[in-house]
Amino acid sequence: MDRWILSYDDYDPGTERLREALCTLGNGYFATRGAAPESSAGGTHYPGTYIAGCYDRLAAEVAGRDIDNADLVNMPNWLPLAFRAAGGEWLDLDQAQADGRLLSYRQELDVRRGVVTRLVRVRDSRGRTSRVAQRRIVSMHDPHLAALETTVVAEDWSGTAQIVSALDGRVVNAGVARYRGLPEAHLRHTKTAQPDDPELLLLRTRTNSSKIGIAVAARTRVSAQTAATRRSEHGWTGHDLTLDVREGVPVTIEKVAAVFTSRDHAVEECGQAALAAVADAGGFDALLERHTSAWSRLWRRCQLSVDHAEVQRVLNLHIFHLLQTVSEHSVDLDAGVPARGLHGEAYRGHVFWDELFILPFLTMRFPQIARALLMYRWRRLPAARRAAAAVGRRGAMYPWQSAADGREETQRVHLNPRSGRWLPDHSHLQRHVGLTIALNVWRYYEATGDIEFLAEHGTEIMLEVARFFADLAGYDRSTDRYEIHGVMGPDEYHDAYPGRDEPGLDNNAYTNVLTVWVLRRALDALAALPEDRRTELRERLTLTRQEITRFEDVARKMHVPFHDGVISQFDGYADLEELDWARYRERYGDIRRLDRILEAEGDSPNRYKASKQADVLMLFYVLAPGELDDVLRQLGYEHGPALAARTIGYYLPRTCDGSTLSSLVHAWILARTDGDTAWNLFLESLFSDITDAQHGTTAEGVHLGAMAGTVDLVQRCHAGVSTRGRTLQLEPRLPTALGELRLGLRYQGHWGIDLTCRQDLIRVTLHPGAASPIRVSYRAEETEIQPGTSWESSLQHGRTEPAAG
């Protein structure tokens, strides 16, 4: 098995959209789904190209409400290239398969080189057999370029063939069925004069409300004698090419495209920039060489290997899709990371909290990308301040869903496709996203030591988030505790109390505990700054001693609910009914979307101890055991060492894994106690996109947080790497299914750190360099490693044994 290849040996219309998502090619600036160049949007295919950070907003009326939606825009399609032997049918795989004329088909994605290859053998209705071989790239060397090479061989005929190579701007956002009926047309076309060079095409358009100008240029060249004409329609322009074809002689068509927008730096006019880029791009082979060289550099930075071929193959795929969504080309774009990548239109391309799962891997390999994603949040700090002020609070209230300008993009109604009803949506009450952003800032600083970022940007974010939650917390004199009311946790299935009209929950444990952690770390961040900068920041934020005292008081006296010896998901959780899990599984089989099932029955998950993804368990994922223990102990909650096991054992059976992140989190927290179950859950999460475990959702865009999370799990859970304090801490929990795990890391200015974990050994090697020595902690042992040297220790208990029983 090739660890670098995702391949398909047949053509299957029923899974084509899934394959298109998984075979997406991108470079952090833009990405194009893996649709066939001859295909158009419909039930089987969905070509889509998306540019990072390019959103547009359209108004609509939904369920009697006036709403607007910001969408990541489906951009003009640069791919269209159709072929036929003269007088025959245009290449159409669906029709050819239906007629029995599709003789063979293979498609493969080479993630090491970033190349999609298609090999097709087809016969037309006149009995003429042709072979078509295509290679496609979206350049990782030049973020504005993409290329398609098509080679046609007439196996048993000679004559003429026709090619249409086009740019199609008549696209809409129609990739998600449940959004249909809402406004879809985000592009307004501009009449464009075609360039003098007969090989070139140019299409200009702009988004309707955000007024982003987009230009796509293409150059088409053919290796055979060709007659060419150029024609244009509204929103479409193309070449009609007639080729002389001889039996057995290959004919190659090269199409190179360039994509620019009015948001790009150092560009006067995006149309002229696109034409210049495509004219100077060189041929396909030269582009491919530079592209594969760029990927080779990336893979050297992303060393992560396990001695399990199939696991390694999928991990490689996940790293590949992460780097196609956010790369070094993303650094200057002011773009967040959409939850579904640049791979489709699910969630409208919005930015949620997925940095929590994505940043750890990036920070220890590409800290400049991690910093850029944090800067996306910093630039939207003014919008978060305005949002907090609008609800009468101080500080910054970050939105659950973000897009272009940082306003709340979460829908206020959503459709249950099972019942057909539009329902109120209270997801915007997930205030915990701000806590995640603050946590990400501190984790980045711990790993990089980037005091400049902390001083100029990071501490301000942390303090403003801390200020919001300190203000949100209300003091209860009867208990001498602070409480937070009216929020939702990551669970999402519980948004209100049964019988209560007002949405929101009281004292969500995840929110309250992280509030305490963030309040303390915000003050740590302030203390870490040079005195002059600390004074400046306090003055600029008007951060008084009284307010700092409030931070400290809330962090000492926050209420955390408990019941039956476990942390309660929220106040009142213990009073909810138990769900008859066996009955629902027997009746429905797959109950991951239990919320939809219950609503269609006229019921609600608010009544039950049933979670999409249990909030409380997220605490064991986000915080190290010592950190969680420290928070609870300082709050005065004496819980004992068995709290984690009791809490995990309580909530796991009451969780239906409605999120792709759920099994990932469960695999992480069980790795300490039940290695076999943890490994199986890890595999479930690892393969969830390839197998489309959620029945059609991957076709709308990959689950990037889950993809990155599986890689992060190998790094931070299996290898046990963490960066708390100024020490690289190691606590390997190598599954029995793995004999060896190798990582390459960056940490505290060191560009090369090699970590090897085996069942009997752990070794850390620092490459030679000018950076300071690093401190490594393993169990009770702490040591300093000099550049150019190694340290190793026996791993006597490296295996994670399954729990008894």
Side-chain angles (χ1 to χ4, degrees):
M1 176 184 297
D2 194 317
R3 300 181 177 203
W4 299 97
I5 302 295
L6 177 67
S7 62
Y8 304 97
D9 290 319
D10 61 356
Y11 177 70
D12 178 12
T15 62
E16 183 64 11
R17 284 198 175 200
L18 170 63
R19 296 182 184 185
E20 290 174 354
L22 292 174
C23 291
T24 293
L25 295 179
N27 57 25
Y29 175 81
F30 80 102
T32 296
R33 286 168 58 89
E38 70 275 3
S39 68
S40 56
T44 301
H45 306 279
Y46 193 73
T49 291
Y50 309 94
I51 302 175
C54 286
Y55 293 91
D56 188 60
R57 186 179 303 278
L58 295 176
E61 182 179 327
V62 177
R65 297 190 184 197
D66 293 327
I67 63 170
D68 59 22
N69 291 301
D71 289 276
L72 186 68
V73 178
N74 186 13
M75 294 298 183
N77 185 10
W78 66 270
L79 279 175
L81 191 137
F83 157 80
R84 69 175 178 179
E89 304 82 12
W90 292 103
L91 177 61
D92 181 333
L93 296 183
D94 301 305
Q95 191 61 52
Q97 186 183 62
D99 295 343
R101 295 184 287 101
L102 182 59
L103 305 180
S104 65
Y105 181 89
R106 178 174 173 81
Q107 177 174 318
E108 69 174 36
L109 167 64
D110 182 341
V111 302
R112 181 164 51 184
R113 301 168 69 238
V115 180
V116 168
T117 302
R118 277 202 323 161
L119 301 174
V120 179
R121 190 164 175 263
V122 65
R123 181 174 295 129
D124 70 11
S125 59
R126 297 188 180 186
R128 292 171 293 189
T129 306
S130 303
R131 291 200 314 273
V132 180
Q134 289 181 322
R135 295 188 294 173
R136 180 193 311 182
I137 63 171
V138 172
S139 176
M140 190 56 83
H141 172 76
D142 185 324
H144 297 283
L145 294 179
L148 173 69
E149 179 196 70
T150 303
T151 299
V152 178
V153 178
E155 288 192 357
D156 53 10
W157 60 278
S158 296
T160 59
Q162 293 175 290
I163 301 287
V164 173
S165 176
L167 300 173
D168 189 359
R170 303 168 303 183
V171 298
V172 297
N173 276 57
V176 180
R178 60 188 173 278
Y179 302 160
R180 289 173 196 160
L182 301 176
E184 300 174 333
H186 290 280
L187 298 179
R188 181 170 298 178
H189 306 299
T190 304
K191 189 173 182 180
T192 304
Q194 291 303 308
D196 293 334
D197 188 330
E199 291 185 334
L200 302 184
L201 298 171
L202 177 63
L203 183 71
R204 285 190 180 94
T205 188
R206 68 177 175 85
T207 56
N208 280 311
S209 64
S210 55
K211 311 298 183 187
I212 300 170
I214 305 108
V216 183
R219 185 196 70 211
T220 304
R221 288 179 178 169
V222 185
S223 64
Q225 186 174 349
T226 309
T229 59
R230 191 162 52 190
R231 58 187 172 93
S232 296
E233 304 170 9
H234 183 65
W236 184 97
T237 185
H239 281 122
D240 291 318
L241 308 171
T242 302
L243 322 179
D244 289 328
V245 177
R246 288 182 294 163
E247 182 179 340
V249 179
V251 175
T252 298
I253 305 100
E254 287 188 358
K255 182 177 185 180
V256 178
V259 179
F260 280 80
T261 81
S262 58
R263 300 174 77 238
D264 294 330
H265 300 302
V267 169
E268 181 174 290
E269 195 279 315
C270 56
Q272 292 304 312
L275 284 172
V278 81
D280 296 339
F284 184 89
D285 287 341
L287 289 170
L288 178 63
E289 181 179 2
R290 294 192 291 269
H291 167 73
T292 55
S293 178
W295 269 111
S296 179
R297 291 193 299 272
L298 293 179
W299 284 117
R300 280 200 298 273
R301 291 266 199 101
C302 295
Q303 179 189 346
L304 186 151
S305 63
V306 297
D307 56 348
H308 189 302
E310 181 63 1
V311 168
Q312 183 70 60
R313 185 174 73 103
V314 184
L315 288 172
N316 288 343
L317 178 71
H318 289 183
I319 295 169
F320 177 74
H321 283 305
L322 175 59
L323 294 180
Q324 292 195 122
T325 305
V326 283
S327 75
E328 291 163 317
H329 301 307
S330 311
V331 170
D332 292 327
L333 293 183
D334 185 35
V337 52
R340 304 299 278 273
L342 298 175
H343 298 62
E345 296 162 15
Y347 301 153
R348 302 188 178 279
H350 291 171
V351 178
F352 292 72
W353 67 331
D354 296 74
E355 300 108 306
L356 177 66
F357 306 93
I358 289 167
L359 284 177
F361 178 80
L362 292 175
T363 298
M364 300 199 73
R365 288 166 178 81
F366 304 95
Q368 72 277 28
I369 302 176
R371 194 182 202 268
L373 294 176
L374 294 173
M375 286 300 296
Y376 168 85
R377 297 298 193 175
W378 182 79
R379 293 187 187 100
R380 284 147 188 81
L381 189 55
R385 289 186 176 115
R386 290 192 295 271
V391 296
R393 298 297 180 186
R394 305 190 69 193
M397 184 177 78
Y398 277 96
W400 174 235
Q401 297 184 33
S402 180
D405 62 6
R407 76 183 78 174
E408 179 63 79
E409 302 290 356
T410 305
Q411 67 279 0
R412 295 307 175 101
V413 293
H414 71 269
L415 175 68
N416 181 357
R418 184 177 285 272
S419 69
R421 288 188 286 264
W422 287 92
L423 308 167
D425 193 317
H426 305 300
S427 300
H428 64 282
L429 296 177
Q430 294 191 71
R431 309 299 188 206
H432 61 84
V433 64
L435 299 169
T436 296
I437 293 166
L439 180 143
N440 289 338
V441 167
W442 186 252
R443 296 299 195 213
Y444 168 81
Y445 170 67
E446 286 182 314
T448 64
D450 188 350
I451 189 65
E452 180 183 2
F453 172 79
L454 194 70
E456 295 294 333
H457 309 290
T459 302
E460 184 174 6
I461 293 174
M462 295 182 72
L463 287 171
E464 288 291 68
V465 170
R467 173 179 267 171
F468 171 75
F469 281 93
D471 194 31
L472 189 63
Y475 180 66
D476 184 340
R477 294 179 183 275
S478 68
T479 61
D480 192 30
R481 291 281 185 181
Y482 287 89
E483 300 189 345
I484 294 176
H485 293 182
V487 301
M488 283 177 61
D491 168 40
E492 296 185 349
Y493 276 6
H494 296 92
D495 64 356
Y497 288 100
R500 185 190 290 184
D501 294 333
E502 182 93 7
L505 304 167
D506 299 338
N507 295 312
N508 170 256
Y510 179 85
T511 303
N512 286 19
V513 169
L514 273 195
T515 292
V516 172
W517 188 92
V518 166
L519 286 167
R520 291 177 177 165
R521 298 296 83 75
L523 296 177
D524 290 344
L526 187 65
L529 303 185
E531 183 176 352
D532 289 349
R533 176 56 180 160
R534 186 163 61 245
T535 300
E536 287 177 357
L537 195 56
R538 288 186 61 173
E539 290 175 351
R540 189 158 70 80
L541 299 181
T542 62
L543 183 67
T544 64
R545 178 65 246 180
Q546 181 180 10
E547 193 168 11
I548 290 176
T549 300
R550 167 81 173 192
F551 286 11
E552 294 169 341
D553 200 41
V554 174
R556 276 199 314 271
K557 297 181 178 180
M558 179 66 76
H559 171 58
V560 177
F562 283 77
H563 76 276
D564 298 336
V566 303
I567 302 173
S568 293
Q569 194 161 303
F570 49 82
D571 270 348
Y573 180 87
D575 299 328
L576 301 181
E577 299 177 35
E578 293 285 3
L579 184 78
D580 188 344
W581 292 91
R583 182 173 74 84
Y584 276 90
R585 287 194 173 98
E586 181 179 356
R587 181 173 180 183
Y588 292 100
D590 185 348
I591 60 169
R592 277 175 287 198
R593 289 313 306 262
L594 182 64
D595 58 332
R596 292 177 175 176
I597 292 171
L598 289 171
E599 192 279 328
E601 292 184 344
D603 206 342
S604 168
N606 284 328
R607 295 180 54 219
Y608 301 101
K609 295 172 182 170
S611 297
K612 176 182 180 182
Q613 48 192 2
D615 293 354
V616 175
L617 300 187
M618 279 295 301
L619 287 172
F620 298 94
Y621 176 84
V622 171
L623 300 178
E627 291 179 306
L628 180 56
D629 287 344
D630 180 60
V631 168
L632 294 175
R633 187 165 47 253
Q634 292 197 38
L635 289 174
Y637 292 105
E638 296 300 328
H639 51 278
L643 175 67
R646 287 198 307 270
T647 304
I648 292 166
Y650 181 88
Y651 284 103
L652 278 181
R654 294 172 171 86
T655 304
C656 68
D657 297 329
S659 166
T660 54
L661 297 171
S662 184
S663 56
L664 173 75
V665 170
H666 296 169
W668 184 291
I669 62 180
L670 285 173
R672 296 175 179 276
T673 58
D674 187 349
D676 290 344
T677 300
W679 178 252
N680 289 332
L681 288 170
F682 166 70
L683 294 179
E684 180 182 320
S685 184
L686 186 74
F687 289 98
S688 61
D689 269 325
I690 281 188
T691 61
D692 195 19
Q694 294 206 329
H695 309 300
T697 62
T698 301
E700 302 167 348
V702 300
H703 298 83
L704 199 66
M707 282 188 164
T710 58
V711 180
D712 180 44
L713 188 147
V714 172
Q715 172 178 292
R716 290 198 299 132
C717 182
H718 292 161
V721 177
S722 64
T723 57
R724 298 187 302 278
R726 302 286 292 179
T727 303
L728 188 67
Q729 301 195 20
L730 304 174
E731 190 181 354
R733 293 184 290 277
L734 206 60
T736 56
L738 299 181
E740 183 175 84
L741 164 60
R742 294 177 178 268
L743 298 175
L745 306 170
R746 286 178 65 178
Y747 172 68
Q748 296 285 343
H750 286 274
W751 280 66
I753 301 176
D754 296 330
L755 171 66
T756 300
C757 295
R758 299 201 309 250
Q759 295 290 354
D760 61 345
L761 173 76
I762 182 170
R763 178 188 300 119
V764 180
T765 301
L766 255 63
H767 295 193
S772 301
I774 67 169
R775 297 201 65 78
V776 172
S777 172
Y778 171 60
R779 298 193 176 173
E781 181 181 357
E782 188 168 309
T783 188
E784 185 175 87
I785 307 178
Q786 299 287 336
T789 66
S790 296
W791 164 88
E792 67 179 46
S793 178
S794 61
L795 199 62
Q796 296 178 356
H797 303 285
R799 292 180 181 269
T800 305
E801 298 298 337

